[in-house]
Coordinates of all heavy atoms in Angstrom, one line a residue:
M1 N -15.5 -20.4 2.4 CA -15.3 -21.6 3.3 C -14.2 -21.2 4.2 O -13.1 -20.8 3.8 CB -15.0 -22.8 2.4 CG -14.8 -24.0 3.2 SD -14.7 -25.4 2.1 CE -14.1 -26.6 3.2
V2 N -14.4 -21.5 5.4 CA -13.4 -21.2 6.5 C -12.5 -22.5 6.7 O -13.1 -23.6 7.0 CB -14.0 -20.8 7.8 CG1 -12.9 -20.6 8.9 CG2 -14.8 -19.6 7.7
T3 N -11.3 -22.4 6.7 CA -10.4 -23.5 7.0 C -10.1 -23.5 8.5 O -9.9 -22.5 9.1 CB -9.1 -23.5 6.2 OG1 -8.4 -22.4 6.5 CG2 -9.3 -23.6 4.7
M4 N -10.2 -24.8 9.1 CA -10.0 -24.8 10.5 C -8.7 -25.6 10.9 O -8.5 -26.6 10.1 CB -11.2 -25.5 11.2 CG -11.3 -25.4 12.6 SD -12.9 -25.7 13.2 CE -12.7 -27.3 13.8
D5 N -7.9 -25.1 11.9 CA -6.7 -25.9 12.3 C -7.2 -27.3 12.8 O -8.3 -27.4 13.3 CB -6.2 -25.1 13.5 CG -5.3 -24.0 13.0 OD1 -4.9 -24.0 11.9 OD2 -4.9 -23.2 13.9
R6 N -6.2 -28.1 12.8 CA -6.5 -29.4 13.5 C -6.5 -29.1 15.0 O -5.6 -28.4 15.5 CB -5.3 -30.3 13.1 CG -5.5 -31.7 13.7 CD -4.3 -32.6 13.0 NE -4.2 -33.7 13.9 CZ -3.1 -34.1 14.4 NH1 -2.0 -33.6 14.1 NH2 -3.1 -35.2 15.3
L7 N -7.4 -29.7 15.6 CA -7.6 -29.4 17.1 C -7.0 -30.7 17.8 O -7.3 -31.8 17.6 CB -9.1 -29.3 17.5 CG -9.8 -28.1 17.0 CD1 -11.2 -28.1 17.4 CD2 -9.1 -26.8 17.4
L8 N -6.0 -30.4 18.6 CA -5.3 -31.5 19.3 C -5.7 -31.7 20.7 O -6.2 -30.7 21.4 CB -3.7 -31.1 19.3 CG -3.0 -30.7 18.0 CD1 -1.7 -30.2 18.3 CD2 -3.0 -31.9 17.1
T9 N -5.7 -32.9 21.2 CA -6.0 -33.2 22.6 C -4.8 -32.7 23.4 O -3.7 -32.4 22.8 CB -6.1 -34.7 22.8 OG1 -4.9 -35.3 22.6 CG2 -7.3 -35.4 22.0
V10 N -5.0 -32.6 24.7 CA -3.9 -32.2 25.6 C -2.6 -33.1 25.4 O -1.5 -32.8 25.4 CB -4.3 -32.0 27.0 CG1 -3.2 -31.6 27.9 CG2 -5.4 -30.9 27.0
R11 N -2.9 -34.4 25.4 CA -1.8 -35.3 25.2 C -1.1 -35.2 23.9 O 0.1 -35.2 23.9 CB -2.4 -36.8 25.3 CG -1.4 -37.8 25.1 CD -1.7 -39.3 25.2 NE -0.6 -40.1 25.0 CZ -0.4 -41.2 25.6 NH1 -1.3 -41.7 26.5 NH2 0.6 -41.9 25.5
E12 N -1.8 -35.0 22.8 CA -1.2 -34.7 21.5 C -0.4 -33.4 21.6 O 0.7 -33.5 21.0 CB -2.2 -34.6 20.4 CG -2.9 -35.9 20.0 CD -4.1 -35.8 19.1 OE1 -4.7 -34.7 19.1 OE2 -4.4 -36.7 18.4
A13 N -0.9 -32.4 22.2 CA -0.1 -31.2 22.4 C 1.2 -31.5 23.2 O 2.3 -31.0 22.8 CB -0.9 -30.1 23.0
A14 N 1.1 -32.3 24.2 CA 2.3 -32.5 25.0 C 3.3 -33.4 24.2 O 4.5 -33.1 24.3 CB 1.9 -33.3 26.3
E15 N 2.8 -34.3 23.4 CA 3.7 -35.1 22.5 C 4.4 -34.2 21.6 O 5.6 -34.3 21.3 CB 2.9 -36.2 21.9 CG 2.6 -37.3 22.9 CD 1.6 -38.3 22.2 OE1 1.2 -38.1 21.1 OE2 1.4 -39.4 22.9
L16 N 3.6 -33.3 20.9 CA 4.2 -32.4 20.0 C 5.3 -31.4 20.5 O 6.3 -31.2 19.9 CB 3.1 -31.6 19.3 CG 3.4 -31.1 17.8 CD1 3.5 -32.3 16.9 CD2 2.3 -30.2 17.5
L17 N 5.0 -31.0 21.8 CA 6.0 -30.1 22.5 C 7.2 -30.9 23.0 O 8.1 -30.3 23.5 CB 5.3 -29.3 23.6 CG 4.3 -28.3 23.2 CD1 3.5 -27.7 24.4 CD2 5.0 -27.1 22.5
G18 N 7.1 -32.2 23.1 CA 8.1 -33.0 23.6 C 8.2 -33.1 25.1 O 9.1 -33.4 25.7
T19 N 7.0 -32.8 25.8 CA 7.0 -32.9 27.2 C 6.3 -34.1 27.8 O 6.2 -34.3 29.0 CB 6.3 -31.6 27.7 OG1 5.0 -31.5 27.3 CG2 7.0 -30.3 27.3
W20 N 5.7 -34.9 26.9 CA 4.9 -36.0 27.4 C 5.8 -37.0 28.3 O 5.3 -37.4 29.2 CB 4.3 -36.8 26.1 CG 3.6 -37.9 26.6 CD1 3.9 -39.3 26.4 CD2 2.3 -38.0 27.3 NE1 2.9 -40.1 27.0 CE2 1.9 -39.3 27.5 CE3 1.4 -37.0 27.8 CZ2 0.7 -39.7 28.3 CZ3 0.3 -37.4 28.4 CH2 0.0 -38.7 28.6
E21 N 6.9 -37.3 27.8 CA 7.7 -38.2 28.5 C 8.2 -37.7 29.9 O 8.3 -38.6 30.9 CB 9.1 -38.5 27.8 CG 8.9 -39.0 26.3 CD 8.1 -40.4 26.2 OE1 8.4 -41.2 27.1 OE2 7.4 -40.5 25.2
V22 N 8.3 -36.5 30.1 CA 8.8 -36.0 31.4 C 7.7 -35.6 32.3 O 7.6 -36.0 33.4 CB 9.6 -34.7 31.1 CG1 10.1 -34.0 32.4 CG2 10.8 -35.0 30.3
S23 N 6.7 -34.9 31.8 CA 5.6 -34.3 32.7 C 4.2 -34.7 32.3 O 3.3 -34.2 32.9 CB 5.8 -32.9 32.8 OG 5.5 -32.2 31.6
G24 N 4.0 -35.6 31.3 CA 2.7 -35.9 30.9 C 1.9 -34.7 30.4 O 2.5 -33.9 29.5
E25 N 0.7 -34.6 30.8 CA -0.2 -33.5 30.4 C 0.1 -32.2 31.2 O -0.6 -31.2 30.9 CB -1.7 -33.9 30.4 CG -1.9 -35.0 29.5 CD -3.4 -35.4 29.6 OE1 -4.1 -34.9 30.5 OE2 -3.9 -36.3 28.8
R26 N 0.9 -32.2 32.2 CA 1.0 -31.1 33.1 C 1.4 -29.8 32.5 O 0.8 -28.8 32.7 CB 2.0 -31.5 34.2 CG 2.0 -30.5 35.3 CD 2.9 -30.9 36.5 NE 4.2 -31.6 36.1 CZ 4.7 -32.6 36.7 NH1 4.2 -33.1 37.8 NH2 5.8 -33.0 36.2
F27 N 2.4 -29.8 31.6 CA 2.9 -28.5 30.9 C 1.8 -27.9 30.0 O 1.4 -26.7 30.2 CB 4.1 -28.8 30.2 CG 4.7 -27.5 29.5 CD1 5.1 -26.5 30.4 CD2 4.7 -27.4 28.2 CE1 5.6 -25.3 29.9 CE2 5.2 -26.3 27.6 CZ 5.7 -25.2 28.4
P28 N 1.2 -28.6 29.1 CA 0.1 -28.0 28.3 C -1.1 -27.5 29.1 O -1.6 -26.5 29.0 CB -0.3 -29.0 27.3 CG 0.7 -30.1 27.4 CD 1.5 -30.0 28.6
R29 N -1.5 -28.3 30.2 CA -2.6 -28.0 31.1 C -2.2 -26.6 31.9 O -3.1 -25.8 32.1 CB -2.9 -29.1 32.0 CG -3.6 -30.1 31.3 CD -4.5 -31.0 32.3 NE -5.1 -32.1 31.5 CZ -6.3 -31.9 30.8 NH1 -6.9 -30.7 30.7 NH2 -6.8 -33.0 30.2
R30 N -0.9 -26.5 32.3 CA -0.6 -25.3 33.0 C -0.6 -24.1 32.0 O -1.1 -23.0 32.4 CB 0.9 -25.4 33.5 CG 1.3 -24.2 34.4 CD 2.6 -24.5 35.0 NE 3.6 -24.7 33.9 CZ 4.8 -24.4 34.0 NH1 5.4 -24.0 35.1 NH2 5.6 -24.6 32.9
L31 N -0.2 -24.3 30.8 CA -0.3 -23.2 29.7 C -1.8 -22.8 29.6 O -2.1 -21.6 29.5 CB 0.2 -23.7 28.4 CG 1.8 -23.9 28.3 CD1 2.1 -24.5 27.0 CD2 2.6 -22.6 28.7
I32 N -2.6 -23.8 29.6 CA -4.0 -23.4 29.4 C -4.6 -22.7 30.6 O -5.2 -21.6 30.6 CB -4.8 -24.7 29.2 CG1 -4.5 -25.3 27.8 CG2 -6.3 -24.5 29.4 CD1 -5.0 -26.7 27.6
A33 N -4.3 -23.2 31.8 CA -4.7 -22.6 33.1 C -4.2 -21.2 33.2 O -5.0 -20.3 33.8 CB -4.2 -23.5 34.3
E34 N -3.0 -20.9 32.8 CA -2.4 -19.5 32.9 C -2.8 -18.6 31.8 O -2.3 -17.5 31.6 CB -0.9 -19.6 33.0 CG -0.4 -20.3 34.3 CD 1.1 -20.6 34.4 OE1 1.8 -20.3 33.4 OE2 1.5 -21.1 35.4
R35 N -3.6 -19.2 30.8 CA -4.1 -18.5 29.6 C -2.8 -18.0 28.7 O -2.8 -17.0 28.1 CB -4.9 -17.3 29.9 CG -6.2 -17.6 30.7 CD -7.1 -18.4 29.9 NE -8.5 -18.5 30.5 CZ -9.0 -19.5 31.1 NH1 -8.2 -20.5 31.5 NH2 -10.2 -19.5 31.6
R36 N -1.8 -18.8 28.7 CA -0.6 -18.5 27.9 C -0.7 -19.1 26.4 O 0.3 -18.9 25.7 CB 0.7 -19.0 28.6 CG 0.9 -18.3 29.9 CD 2.0 -18.9 30.8 NE 3.2 -19.0 30.0 CZ 4.2 -19.9 30.4 NH1 4.1 -20.6 31.6 NH2 5.3 -20.0 29.6
I37 N -1.7 -19.8 26.2 CA -1.9 -20.4 24.9 C -3.4 -20.5 24.5 O -4.2 -20.6 25.4 CB -1.3 -21.9 24.9 CG1 -1.1 -22.4 23.5 CG2 -2.2 -22.9 25.7 CD1 -0.2 -23.6 23.4
R38 N -3.7 -20.3 23.2 CA -5.1 -20.4 22.8 C -5.6 -21.8 22.9 O -4.8 -22.8 22.7 CB -5.2 -20.0 21.3 CG -5.1 -18.5 21.1 CD -5.3 -18.1 19.6 NE -4.2 -18.6 18.8 CZ -4.4 -19.5 17.8 NH1 -5.6 -19.9 17.5 NH2 -3.4 -19.9 17.1
F39 N -6.9 -22.0 23.2 CA -7.4 -23.2 23.4 C -8.9 -23.2 23.1 O -9.5 -22.1 23.1 CB -7.2 -23.9 24.7 CG -7.8 -23.1 25.9 CD1 -9.1 -23.6 26.4 CD2 -7.2 -22.1 26.6 CE1 -9.6 -23.0 27.4 CE2 -7.8 -21.5 27.6 CZ -9.0 -21.9 28.1
V40 N -9.6 -24.3 22.8 CA -11.0 -24.3 22.5 C -11.6 -25.3 23.5 O -11.1 -26.4 23.7 CB -11.2 -24.8 21.1 CG1 -12.6 -24.9 20.7 CG2 -10.4 -24.0 20.1
K41 N -12.7 -24.8 24.1 CA -13.6 -25.7 24.9 C -14.6 -26.4 24.0 O -15.4 -25.7 23.4 CB -14.2 -25.0 26.0 CG -13.2 -24.5 27.1 CD -12.9 -25.4 28.2 CE -14.2 -25.9 28.9 NZ -14.0 -26.4 30.2
V42 N -14.6 -27.7 23.9 CA -15.6 -28.5 23.3 C -16.4 -29.2 24.4 O -15.9 -30.3 24.7 CB -15.1 -29.4 22.1 CG1 -16.2 -30.1 21.4 CG2 -14.2 -28.6 21.3
G43 N -17.5 -28.7 24.9 CA -18.2 -29.3 25.9 C -17.2 -29.3 27.1 O -16.8 -28.2 27.6
R44 N -16.9 -30.4 27.7 CA -16.0 -30.4 28.9 C -14.6 -30.7 28.4 O -13.7 -30.8 29.3 CB -16.5 -31.4 29.9 CG -16.4 -32.8 29.4 CD -17.1 -33.8 30.4 NE -16.7 -35.2 29.9 CZ -16.3 -36.2 30.7 NH1 -16.1 -35.9 31.9 NH2 -16.1 -37.3 30.1
H45 N -14.4 -31.0 27.2 CA -13.0 -31.3 26.6 C -12.4 -30.0 26.2 O -12.9 -29.0 25.8 CB -13.2 -32.1 25.4 CG -13.9 -33.4 25.8 ND1 -13.3 -34.4 26.5 CD2 -15.2 -33.8 25.5 CE1 -14.2 -35.5 26.6 NE2 -15.3 -35.1 26.0
V46 N -11.1 -30.0 26.3 CA -10.2 -28.9 25.9 C -9.3 -29.4 24.7 O -8.8 -30.5 24.7 CB -9.2 -28.5 27.1 CG1 -8.2 -27.4 26.6 CG2 -10.0 -28.0 28.2
R47 N -9.3 -28.5 23.6 CA -8.6 -28.8 22.5 C -7.7 -27.7 22.2 O -8.1 -26.5 22.5 CB -9.5 -29.1 21.3 CG -10.4 -30.3 21.4 CD -9.5 -31.6 21.5 NE -10.4 -32.7 21.6 CZ -10.6 -33.4 22.7 NH1 -10.0 -33.1 23.8 NH2 -11.4 -34.6 22.7
I48 N -6.5 -27.9 21.7 CA -5.5 -26.8 21.4 C -5.3 -26.8 19.8 O -4.9 -27.8 19.3 CB -4.2 -27.0 22.1 CG1 -4.5 -27.2 23.6 CG2 -3.2 -26.0 21.7 CD1 -3.3 -27.6 24.4
P49 N -5.6 -25.6 19.2 CA -5.4 -25.6 17.8 C -3.8 -25.8 17.4 O -3.0 -25.2 18.2 CB -5.8 -24.2 17.4 CG -6.6 -23.7 18.5 CD -6.2 -24.5 19.7
E50 N -3.5 -26.5 16.5 CA -2.2 -26.7 16.0 C -1.5 -25.5 15.8 O -0.3 -25.4 16.2 CB -2.1 -27.6 14.8 CG -0.8 -28.3 14.6 CD -0.9 -29.5 13.5 OE1 -1.9 -29.5 12.8 OE2 0.0 -30.2 13.5
S51 N -2.1 -24.5 15.3 CA -1.4 -23.2 15.0 C -1.0 -22.5 16.3 O 0.0 -21.8 16.4 CB -2.3 -22.3 14.1 OG -3.4 -22.0 14.8
A52 N -1.8 -22.8 17.4 CA -1.5 -22.1 18.7 C -0.2 -22.7 19.2 O 0.6 -21.9 19.8 CB -2.6 -22.4 19.7
L53 N 0.1 -23.9 19.0 CA 1.4 -24.5 19.4 C 2.5 -23.9 18.5 O 3.6 -23.6 19.1 CB 1.4 -26.0 19.3 CG 0.6 -26.8 20.3 CD1 0.6 -28.2 20.0 CD2 1.0 -26.5 21.7
V54 N 2.3 -23.8 17.3 CA 3.3 -23.3 16.3 C 3.6 -21.9 16.7 O 4.8 -21.5 16.9 CB 2.8 -23.3 14.9 CG1 3.8 -22.6 14.0 CG2 2.7 -24.7 14.4
D55 N 2.7 -21.0 17.0 CA 2.8 -19.7 17.5 C 3.5 -19.6 18.8 O 4.5 -18.8 19.0 CB 1.5 -19.0 17.6 CG 0.7 -18.7 16.3 OD1 1.4 -18.9 15.3 OD2 -0.5 -18.5 16.3
F56 N 3.2 -20.5 19.7 CA 3.9 -20.5 21.1 C 5.3 -20.8 20.9 O 6.1 -20.1 21.5 CB 3.1 -21.6 22.0 CG 3.8 -21.7 23.4 CD1 3.5 -20.8 24.4 CD2 4.7 -22.7 23.7 CE1 4.0 -20.9 25.6 CE2 5.3 -22.8 24.9 CZ 4.9 -21.9 25.9
V57 N 5.6 -21.8 20.2 CA 7.1 -22.1 19.9 C 7.8 -21.0 19.3 O 8.8 -20.6 19.7 CB 7.2 -23.5 19.2 CG1 8.6 -23.7 18.7 CG2 6.7 -24.6 20.0
A58 N 7.2 -20.4 18.2 CA 7.8 -19.3 17.5 C 8.1 -18.1 18.5 O 9.2 -17.5 18.4 CB 7.0 -18.9 16.3
V59 N 7.1 -17.8 19.3 CA 7.2 -16.6 20.2 C 8.4 -16.9 21.3 O 9.1 -16.0 21.7 CB 6.0 -16.2 20.9 CG1 6.1 -15.2 22.1 CG2 5.0 -15.7 19.9
H60 N 8.5 -18.1 21.7 CA 9.5 -18.5 22.7 C 10.8 -19.0 22.3 O 11.6 -19.5 23.0 CB 8.7 -19.4 23.7 CG 7.8 -18.8 24.5 ND1 6.4 -18.7 24.1 CD2 7.7 -18.1 25.7 CE1 5.7 -18.1 24.9 NE2 6.4 -17.7 25.9
T61 N 11.0 -18.9 20.9 CA 12.3 -19.3 20.3 C 13.3 -18.3 20.6 O 13.1 -17.1 20.2 CB 12.1 -19.7 18.9 OG1 11.2 -20.8 18.8 CG2 13.5 -20.1 18.3
V62 N 14.5 -18.6 21.1 CA 15.5 -17.7 21.3 C 16.7 -18.1 20.3 O 17.2 -19.2 20.2 CB 16.1 -17.8 22.7 CG1 17.3 -17.0 23.0 CG2 15.0 -17.7 23.7
E63 N 17.0 -17.1 19.5 CA 18.0 -17.2 18.5 C 19.3 -17.1 19.1 O 19.5 -16.3 20.0 CB 17.8 -16.1 17.4 CG 16.5 -16.3 16.6 CD 16.4 -17.6 15.8 OE1 17.4 -18.2 15.4 OE2 15.3 -18.1 15.6
P64 N 20.3 -17.8 18.6 CA 21.7 -17.7 19.2 C 22.3 -16.4 18.8 O 22.0 -15.8 17.8 CB 22.5 -18.9 18.5 CG 21.7 -19.2 17.2 CD 20.3 -18.8 17.5
V65 N 23.3 -16.0 19.7 CA 24.0 -14.8 19.5 C 25.3 -15.1 18.7 O 26.0 -16.1 19.2 CB 24.3 -14.1 20.8 CG1 25.2 -12.8 20.5 CG2 23.0 -13.7 21.5
V66 N 25.6 -14.5 17.6 CA 26.8 -14.8 16.9 C 27.9 -13.8 17.4 O 27.7 -12.6 17.3 CB 26.6 -14.6 15.4 CG1 27.9 -14.8 14.7 CG2 25.5 -15.5 14.9
V67 N 28.9 -14.4 17.9 CA 30.0 -13.6 18.5 C 31.1 -13.9 17.5 O 31.6 -14.8 17.2 CB 30.5 -14.1 19.9 CG1 31.6 -13.3 20.4 CG2 29.3 -14.0 20.8
R68 N 31.7 -12.7 17.0 CA 32.8 -12.6 16.1 C 34.0 -12.4 16.8 O 34.1 -11.3 17.6 CB 32.5 -11.7 15.0 CG 31.4 -12.1 14.1 CD 30.9 -11.1 13.0 NE 32.0 -10.2 12.5 CZ 31.9 -9.3 11.6 NH1 30.7 -9.2 11.1 NH2 32.8 -8.6 11.1
R69 N 35.0 -13.2 16.7 CA 36.3 -13.0 17.3 C 37.0 -11.9 16.6 O 37.2 -11.9 15.4 CB 37.1 -14.3 17.4 CG 36.6 -15.2 18.4 CD 37.3 -16.5 18.5 NE 38.7 -16.3 18.9 CZ 39.6 -17.1 18.9 NH1 39.4 -18.4 18.6 NH2 40.9 -17.0 19.3
R70 N 37.6 -11.1 17.3 CA 38.5 -10.1 16.8 C 39.9 -10.6 16.8 O 40.3 -11.1 17.7 CB 38.5 -8.8 17.5 CG 37.3 -7.9 17.3 CD 37.5 -6.6 18.2 NE 38.5 -5.7 17.6 CZ 38.7 -4.5 18.1 NH1 37.9 -4.1 19.1 NH2 39.6 -3.7 17.6
L71 N 40.6 -10.3 15.7 CA 41.9 -10.8 15.6 C 42.8 -9.7 16.3 O 42.6 -8.5 16.1 CB 42.4 -10.9 14.2 CG 41.8 -12.0 13.4 CD1 42.2 -12.0 11.9 CD2 42.0 -13.3 14.0
N72 N 43.7 -10.1 17.2 CA 44.6 -9.2 17.9 C 45.8 -9.1 17.1 O 46.8 -9.8 17.2 CB 44.8 -9.7 19.3 CG 45.4 -8.6 20.1 OD1 45.7 -7.5 19.7 ND2 45.6 -9.0 21.4
R73 N 45.9 -8.0 16.3 CA 47.0 -7.8 15.3 C 48.2 -7.3 16.1 O 49.4 -7.5 15.6 CB 46.6 -6.9 14.2 CG 45.6 -7.5 13.3 CD 45.3 -6.6 12.2 NE 44.2 -7.3 11.4 CZ 43.7 -6.7 10.4 NH1 44.1 -5.6 9.9 NH2 42.8 -7.2 9.7
H74 N 48.0 -6.6 17.1 CA 49.1 -6.0 17.8 C 49.4 -6.7 19.2 O 49.2 -6.1 20.2 CB 48.7 -4.5 18.1 CG 48.5 -3.7 16.8 ND1 49.4 -3.5 15.9 CD2 47.3 -3.3 16.4 CE1 48.8 -2.8 14.9 NE2 47.6 -2.7 15.2
R75 N 49.8 -7.9 19.0 CA 50.0 -8.7 20.2 C 51.4 -8.3 20.8 O 52.4 -8.1 20.0 CB 50.1 -10.1 19.9 CG 48.9 -10.9 20.3 CD 49.1 -12.3 20.1 NE 48.3 -13.0 21.1 CZ 47.9 -14.2 21.0 NH1 48.3 -14.9 20.0 NH2 47.1 -14.7 21.9
R76 N 51.4 -8.1 22.0 CA 52.7 -7.8 22.7 C 53.5 -9.1 23.0 O 52.9 -10.2 23.3 CB 52.5 -7.2 24.0 CG 51.9 -5.8 24.0 CD 51.7 -5.3 25.3 NE 51.2 -3.9 25.2 CZ 50.8 -3.2 26.3 NH1 51.0 -3.7 27.5 NH2 50.3 -2.0 26.1
A77 N 54.8 -9.0 22.8 CA 55.6 -10.2 23.1 C 55.8 -10.3 24.5 O 56.1 -9.4 25.3 CB 57.0 -10.0 22.4
A78 N 55.7 -11.5 25.1 CA 55.8 -11.7 26.5 C 57.2 -12.0 26.9 O 58.1 -12.4 26.3 CB 55.0 -12.9 26.9

């Protein structure tokens, strides 16, 4: 038996990405048009697998750089 991801509408994808309030469906539709995200055509409808959004976010996540301060043990007196 094959398990299938939940297929999201473009609006649901935008809400999950947090772009619905700002740009509506525009951002997910642009990702689809530029083929930057996996999607499924169901007749004339477009659906985005939930795992495609998880993968997209994971690939585009930037981890912070940890900067360690060096102690200046040999400070000159001013």
Side-chain angles (χ1 to χ4, degrees):
M1 183 172 166
V2 177
T3 58
M4 197 161 102
D5 277 343
R6 183 171 158 231
L7 297 176
L8 306 172
T9 64
V10 176
R11 180 181 180 140
E12 290 171 331
E15 289 172 352
L16 206 65
L17 290 171
T19 62
W20 178 252
E21 305 298 324
V22 178
S23 64
E25 295 180 354
R26 189 173 41 215
F27 181 66
R29 287 203 181 276
R30 188 177 56 157
L31 294 176
I32 291 166
E34 295 173 356
R35 303 294 196 260
R36 293 173 50 198
I37 195 165
R38 285 183 294 120
F39 65 95
V40 178
K41 291 274 296 200
V42 182
R44 65 183 188 136
H45 302 284
V46 176
R47 298 291 184 258
I48 301 169
E50 197 167 16
S51 65
L53 289 179
V54 171
D55 294 343
F56 178 81
V57 170
V59 167
H60 291 89
T61 298
V62 179
E63 295 296 329
V65 176
V66 178
V67 178
R68 292 173 34 179
R69 286 179 64 183
R70 276 181 75 172
L71 294 176
N72 192 356
R73 294 182 184 181
H74 304 291
R75 257 187 152 160
R76 292 183 181 174

